[in-house]
């Protein structure tokens, strides 16, 4: 089996409302669908969600790097020879999201070629993940109303609050209102997307003491190395590295320098192959991991579930899997359902992300 053709198809689907966080705002899912065609007719697919604010990749850069740089070097290779593919892509620095989508497309191909679901190839630990839902950047009462609705409608009992606003009191108030309104059993944790300084984060931790928050993600820029290390040492809860750790090398640096003591894994920026390397590092060192969301479509969310459900360590905490609910539509032919707070893997060969060709024709941009 040989790689015959690689497509990087830009498409755009509006969100039902603009999404805001400390590092930016987005109104449309301007993503890239990656398709790797093989000479025997098999097709591997994955979604690439560019995050210009976070990683500097855009829809155009992902399309160009895949079609102009990677494809000419990958065509003719056997998709099973992932080591060779990664050696080729590794010659180009950065471009993690483009590389991640090529990697997931290859796993999808392998699953289809072997007639096996990819979650089984990756590890096959279990068949579903608990869902964590993200809230944030709105008045406290609206956040509480949304959390209560998601609890009722989907059975979700874990919420990540997007914070990082100034003055700090807005987010601190939201923490108190959510805890009081949701009761003690619901899990709450925070993600500041580098919105604060390390000292501001310390103040938030002091003023939310006793609320039972379980984690604080990317409170400040990891480059503030000295004060971030002090925060990690003093914090009673894990400080999670997310956008500071897109690669296994970044994870090593942040863990060894004391810049984080828990790690967010995102398949959209690491693919499955590097995500497994990151997971191995973390489990070897006894460091907690979370499965994060890169504002993924349903196609991307299925990839996260396939990886997360495949390993024991990634199922200990709820995965951030519900961002697709903010989209007005999706490319996935058979929609994902959240039931009793969980999303299940698909027991069909590959990652399970069958594309609705009519929808792709409607939303594609070239
Ligand atoms: Mg994050």
């Amino acid at each position: 089996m040989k790689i015959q053709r690689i497509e990087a198809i830009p498409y755009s689907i509006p969100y039902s409302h603009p999404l805001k966080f400390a590092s930016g705002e987005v109104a449309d899912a301007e993503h890239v669908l990656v398709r790797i065609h093989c000479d025997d007719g098999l097709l591997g697919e994955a979604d690439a969600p560019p995050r210009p604010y976070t990683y500097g990749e855009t829809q155009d850069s992902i399309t160009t790097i895949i079609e102009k740089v990677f494809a000419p070097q990958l065509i003719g290779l056997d998709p099973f020879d992932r080591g060779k593919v990664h050696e080729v892509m590794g010659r180009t620095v950065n471009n993690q999201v483009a590389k991640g989508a090529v990697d997931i497309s290859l796993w999808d191909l392998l699953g289809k070629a072997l007639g096996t679901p990819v979650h089984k190839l990756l590890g096959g630990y279990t068949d579903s993940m608990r869902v964590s839902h993200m809230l944030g950047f709105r008045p406290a009462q609206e956040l509480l109303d949304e959390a209560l609705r998601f609890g009722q409608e989907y059975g979700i009992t874990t919420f990540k609050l997007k914070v990082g606003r100034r003055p700090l009191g807005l987010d601190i108030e939201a923490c108190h209102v959510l805890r009081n309104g949701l009761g003690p059993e619901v899990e709450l944790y925070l993600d500041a997307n580098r919105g604060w300084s390390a000292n501001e984060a310390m103040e938030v931790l002091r003023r939310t003491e006793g609320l039972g928050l379980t984690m604080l993600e990317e409170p400040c820029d990891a480059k503030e190395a000295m004060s971030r290390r002090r925060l990690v040492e003093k914090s009673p809860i894990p400080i999670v590295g997310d956008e500071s750790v897109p690669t296994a090398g970044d994870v090593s640096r942040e863990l060894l320098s004391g810049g984080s003591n828990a790690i967010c894994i995102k398949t959209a920026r690491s693919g499955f192959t590097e995500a497994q390397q990151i997971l191995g590092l973390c489990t070897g060192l006894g460091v907690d991991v979370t499965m994060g969301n890169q504002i993924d479509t349903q196609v991307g969310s299925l990839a996260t579930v396939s990886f997360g459900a495949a390993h024991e360590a990634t199922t200990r905490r709820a995965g951030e899997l519900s961002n697709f609910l903010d989209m007005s539509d999706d490319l996935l032919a058979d929609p994902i359902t959240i039931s009793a707070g969980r999303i299940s893997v698909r027991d069909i060969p590959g990652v399970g992300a069958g594309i609705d060709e009519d929808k792709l024709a409607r939303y594609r941009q070239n």
Side-chain angles (χ1 to χ4, degrees):
M1 187 161 66
K2 297 267 185 280
I3 296 173
Q4 192 173 54
R5 191 161 63 93
I6 302 180
E7 288 182 283
I9 305 168
Y11 70 91
S12 178
I13 299 179
Y15 293 110
S16 29
H17 56 94
L19 307 180
K20 292 182 189 166
F21 25 86
S23 51
E25 178 177 333
V26 288
D28 301 277
E30 296 202 324
H31 292 196
V32 179
L33 181 71
V34 175
R35 290 188 142 168
I36 302 185
H37 301 263
C38 283
D39 56 358
D40 60 0
L42 281 182
L43 170 66
E45 294 173 304
D47 196 49
R51 293 290 159 251
Y53 299 123
T54 316
Y55 309 111
E57 288 178 272
T58 64
Q59 199 184 33
D60 285 345
S61 81
I62 289 174
T63 308
T64 303
I65 202 88
I66 290 176
E67 290 190 340
K68 302 272 170 63
V69 180
F70 295 157
Q73 302 179 80
L74 299 181
I75 287 167
L77 293 183
D78 183 332
F80 276 82
D81 296 344
R82 287 173 297 111
K84 285 183 192 167
V85 171
H86 279 280
E87 192 271 328
V88 165
M89 293 199 294
R91 293 175 200 155
T92 302
V93 298
N94 303 324
N95 293 285
Q96 280 296 119
V97 178
K99 291 173 183 172
V102 170
D103 181 74
I104 293 171
S105 303
L106 285 182
W107 279 94
D108 188 37
L109 264 173
L110 303 193
K112 288 170 178 167
L114 296 169
T116 308
V118 168
H119 68 93
K120 288 199 176 285
L121 293 176
L122 287 167
Y125 174 68
T126 188
D127 60 1
S128 68
M129 280 198 84
R130 271 192 307 128
V131 176
S132 164
H133 180 64
M134 281 190 227
L135 307 162
F137 279 66
R138 282 188 290 128
Q141 187 59 44
E142 286 181 27
L143 298 172
L144 175 59
D145 292 344
E146 182 175 337
L148 290 169
R149 185 165 59 82
F150 273 70
Q152 248 168 13
E153 216 166 300
Y154 300 107
I156 292 174
T157 57
T158 303
F159 296 93
K160 169 193 243 186
L161 181 62
K162 286 285 196 183
V163 292
R165 290 182 288 183
R166 293 187 176 107
L168 304 180
L170 291 170
D171 291 330
I172 293 168
E173 185 205 356
C175 292
H176 284 270
V177 167
L178 283 168
R179 177 53 78 212
N180 289 337
L182 296 172
E185 297 304 319
V186 164
E187 181 179 355
L188 285 174
Y189 60 105
L190 309 182
D191 182 359
N193 287 106
R194 301 163 284 148
W196 295 324
S197 67
N199 287 332
E200 285 173 318
M202 198 82 86
E203 184 183 336
V204 171
L205 287 177
R206 271 197 307 273
R207 292 170 62 187
T208 54
E209 214 181 329
L211 294 185
L213 302 174
T214 54
M215 296 182 285
L216 171 55
E217 189 171 307
E218 218 69 89
C220 57
D221 197 319
K223 292 195 182 88
E224 294 177 28
M226 197 168 168
S227 49
R228 172 112 167 198
R229 198 177 330 163
R230 184 168 155 269
L231 175 67
V232 171
E233 282 166 7
K234 303 266 183 211
S235 171
I237 56 176
I239 301 296
V240 185
D242 176 11
E243 52 265 45
S244 60
V245 293
T247 69
D250 296 318
V251 170
S252 305
R253 184 199 62 230
E254 286 307 304
L255 292 177
L256 291 173
S257 69
S260 296
N261 53 3
I263 295 295
C264 174
I265 297 176
K266 287 180 176 164
T267 54
R269 67 175 178 221
S270 303
F272 293 156
T273 302
E274 191 156 22
Q276 278 194 322
Q277 292 165 2
I278 290 170
L279 181 61
L281 263 172
C282 292
T283 49
L285 291 167
V287 167
D288 279 14
V289 295
T290 64
M291 289 308 298
N293 195 311
Q294 202 157 299
I295 322 182
D296 289 305
T297 60
Q298 296 192 30
V299 177
S301 302
L302 264 191
T304 305
V305 176
S306 293
F307 185 89
H311 308 92
E312 188 271 336
T314 43
T315 55
R316 288 182 205 159
R317 295 181 179 277
E320 293 154 11
L321 299 164
S322 63
N323 267 157
F324 67 84
L325 295 170
D326 291 317
M327 293 182 65
S328 62
D329 202 355
D330 209 287
L331 297 184
L332 196 67
D334 178 14
I336 290 179
T337 53
I338 303 176
S339 105
R342 306 187 78 89
I343 293 178
S344 294
V345 294
R346 296 194 164 169
D347 272 318
I348 52 175
V351 178
I355 300 296
D356 182 322
E357 295 297 334
D358 290 339
K359 286 186 177 179
L360 179 60
R362 190 180 322 153
Y363 296 116
R364 66 183 294 160
Q365 293 170 298
N366 72 3

